[in-house]
Amino acid sequence: MKSLSPIEMRHVEKHKFSLVLLFYLFGVVRSQVSPGVCRYPLGMSGGQIQDEDISASSQWSESTAARYGRLDFEEGDGAWCPEIIVEPDSLKEFLQIDLRSLHFITLVGTQGRHAGGIGNEFAQMYKIKYSRDGSRWISWRNRQGRQVIEGNRNAYDIVLKDLEPPIIARFVRFMPMTDHSMNVCMRVELYGCEWLDGLVSYNAPAGQHMTFEGLQVHLNDSVYDGAMGYSMTEGLGQLTDGMAGLDDFTLSHVYSVWPGYDYVGWSNESLPDDYVEIMFEFDRIRNFTTMKVHCNNMFTRSVKMFRQVVCYFRSESDWEPTPVTFSPVMDDVNPSARFVIVSLHNHMASAIKCQYYFADTWMMFSEITFQSDTAMYNTTLAPPDTDPPTSTQPDDDPTHKVDDSNTRILIGCLVAIIFILVAIIVIILWRQVWQKMLEKSETFPYNNNSSSNHSSSSSEQESNSTYERIFPLGADYQEPSRLLRKLPEFSQVMEEADGTSTAPKSPPVSMQEGVPHYAEADIVNLQGVTGSNTYAAPAVTMDLLSGKDVAVEEFPRKLLTFKEKLGEGQFGEVHLCEVEGMQEFMNEDFSFDTNPNMPVLVAVKMLRADANKNARNDFLKEIKIMSRLKDPNIVHLLGVCVCCDPLCMITEYMENGDLNQFLSRHEPEGQVAPLSTAPTIRYNNLHYMVTQIASGMKYLSSLNFVHRDLATRNCLVGKNYTIKIADFGMSRNLYSGDYYRIQGRAVLPIRWMSWESILLGKFTTASDVWAFGVTLWETLTLCKEQPYSQLSDEQVIENTGEFFRDQKRQIYLPQPAICPDPIYKLMLSCWQRNAKERPSFQNIYHTLLECQV
Ligand code: ADP
């Protein structure tokens, strides 16, 4: 039963700083944007986009100003609303976001104004305009040329729309539209990543038309966003949309478009100079290392990559006299499309003009990207003397030579970083040892007479607890951002998250001193919407800091008698205590299954003495959440001691501890090794236990609660295989919408998490269903190994990427030996890529009942 305490979170934040530094110095430069991965929220909901960067054409009132147009936010009156009613066909109103630098934007999200049920305004449709310089505005169109995007159907659901094609912009405007006059309000988010190429436009001759075996092949740049005439000027388009064309240029990745869609192509018959000249303009002067050109090479159809390229550089106003010239080795054997990589020899420029010479009648390009600035660090991954400075290769993995001075700089940086890291670790270790020494001198807190001896003995038993608190995460919890960073493909996503690449922005929420981590933020709002019914939980006005007016009775702590230590959790120790007269404190609807005159055993979870204000708030929040949950399969909160320190929560005692430890001790019946003395457990009992977990989760999901950390370690086992779900340290109430999005990042149980929780920070009931599938798997393997035990944490994250890409390369947990086929089918359904296709807990519960043997 481990989840992270705020103290532990803070350690992670500290380590994060050094990691950020490390990765920044290593200049994680990706060769090109990968639209499939570049889908990270750019900071409307997370707060990284500042209020002053959000503006609007008008506002209804101060409390519906542009700054309230943040997706998933409820501040002000709950959204941005323009001053006047939006009329059909009027496009006067807009909400504008300034991202402060160029971004590659792949996805947009919109939501209406709900304001706790008071609001009901939303945009049924909208258009998007964008700009790279703030003066020339371009209307976004989809690949079929349509501008209107379907928006929201109610005030609370978030609707996400892929931008196909993606846009490269600094400024984005959302322009609400309706089919009849109505009040419209919007909350929005942009998703993508920073556009590190810095390319702001390319100018080229217009792509041409080819007739090939009766087929009309249109090789124009159909998504070019500049001016189009005989030539294309001041725009970006298909050459920068992140989509490399197929080997056969007549086919396309994109559904229902014309032959030749992915390529821009030219014939030498219409270009007498025998070359195509393309001019590239950049945002500033950059130090260029390489250019990658994705070329078609279907030589059987008279299409070949270029035979030579000559590039000129302009840094101020004049073009440098000496160009870079490069001739790739022609390939008349392999007709695959490929990236041709051209070394630009660290030329400094803000514009590059390249002349690509024809090798055959036709030349077709689908992508051109540039690597610049920090790219020199990137290359050290390749052995210095193995790669030619320039090469052609069918895949997109460029490597090139590093000069010696760069290597020396890198080694110097590495040594410095190692020193800094060692120093940080030593300081943290020293602080922990010091705190532990202080802790040892504390006295035991229930009642002075019975337990003061215990305090010292219990901390002595925990001789390694100092170590545990510095590296407290355990094998089940990982910081996804750290792991994502290690994967080059995801690194840019994480750069965005950390804001390391956007200097003017503030640090992410989770890294700001004094700003609560998402897990500490007060989101315990018990109003929600379930289908069409709005329910309201009984109002409880607990003052989190003083601990007054708790829904559960204050229990006189002197009646608790310590028996033994049950375990240690995120907040402190959990003790088994005996208590007399407990029944008198309880409502009639709760009874202990012991003789009413006998003392009862209870579990007492205590907040550790050195807990800071945030840990204290979290502890009180867990109490607040638990006090409202009443279900036979949810652990029951019996009482609290919050009037004075240390804070305690008293829950029913589950004599068999947590399910993970319980199952690990058992062997499945009929499969016991000859000399084993391990107790056995029947499949029926396992089935009974998972059915109870499903039942408890059914109850939680009916309240729109998301547990976020469902696993066997967080379920408790009582008598006769009864199960109760516990550990609400990470759970959150879902406010009416589809999901709760984390605003920072935490150390999270990645092996239990859905792909969208890891990659998009989305925690929903559907992601709880995913975790249930893993919990079911754990139970039926009797927790003998960790999920995906053969995969490292990095590989688990890679596998998450495979779930996201859905190209049938994802690895699923295997069918446990004792798992019947229908149950494995159920398990697999919990891991559907599309969250909507996963079963509800209601369905899961009924399926389990039906499959009972
Ligand atoms: P945290 O939520 O802070 O991580 P836990 O609730 O997980 O702390 O408690 C730590 C350990 O204490 C658990 O793994 C379990 O073994 C034991 N424990 C906690 N609550 C109970 C309980 N009600 N009955 C029996 N054992 C318990």
Side-chain angles (χ1 to χ4, degrees), residues 680-738:
T680 58
I681 188 162
R682 294 170 54 197
Y683 174 79
N684 283 358
N685 300 128
L686 297 173
H687 191 99
Y688 174 52
M689 292 197 284
V690 289
T691 310
Q692 292 176 78
I693 301 175
S695 177
M697 290 307 295
K698 178 162 74 78
Y699 167 78
L700 273 190
S701 64
S702 75
L703 297 181
N704 268 347
F705 255 83
V706 180
H707 187 287
R708 310 208 301 177
D709 196 11
L710 180 62
T712 52
R713 64 183 171 275
N714 290 331
C715 298
L716 294 170
V717 188
K719 285 199 196 83
N720 302 324
Y721 306 106
T722 50
I723 294 281
K724 297 192 191 237
I725 300 165
D727 225 322
F728 294 87
M730 281 171 77
S731 69
R732 291 293 179 258
N733 173 246
L734 249 196
Y735 178 72
S736 64
D738 269 351

Side-chain angles (χ1 to χ4, degrees), residues 366-382:
S366 70
E367 281 297 293
I368 302 185
T369 64
F370 290 86
Q371 288 69 49
S372 56
D373 289 330
T374 48
M376 61 182 179
Y377 295 116
N378 202 23
T379 56
T380 53
L381 299 171

Side-chain angles (χ1 to χ4, degrees), residues 546-562:
S546 68
K548 287 176 209 138
D549 303 330
V550 189
V552 193
E553 289 276 319
E554 174 76 21
F555 190 82
R557 72 178 75 213
K558 61 178 185 301
L559 297 182
L560 296 168
T561 311
F562 171 81

Side-chain angles (χ1 to χ4, degrees), residues 467-518:
Y467 185 80
E468 272 170 22
R469 269 200 265 150
I470 298 167
F471 305 102
L473 316 182
D476 295 337
Y477 296 83
Q478 282 299 328
E479 186 196 8
S481 57
R482 184 179 61 81
L483 297 168
L484 288 171
R485 250 173 222 295
K486 289 194 177 171
L487 300 169
E489 200 187 0
F490 292 111
S491 58
Q492 69 197 61
V493 173
M494 302 322 297
E495 265 175 35
E496 286 301 316
D498 273 343
T500 49
S501 48
T502 42
K505 289 186 186 163
S506 67
V509 175
S510 58
M511 290 175 76
Q512 288 170 13
E513 238 346 272
V515 176
H517 189 275
Y518 80 90

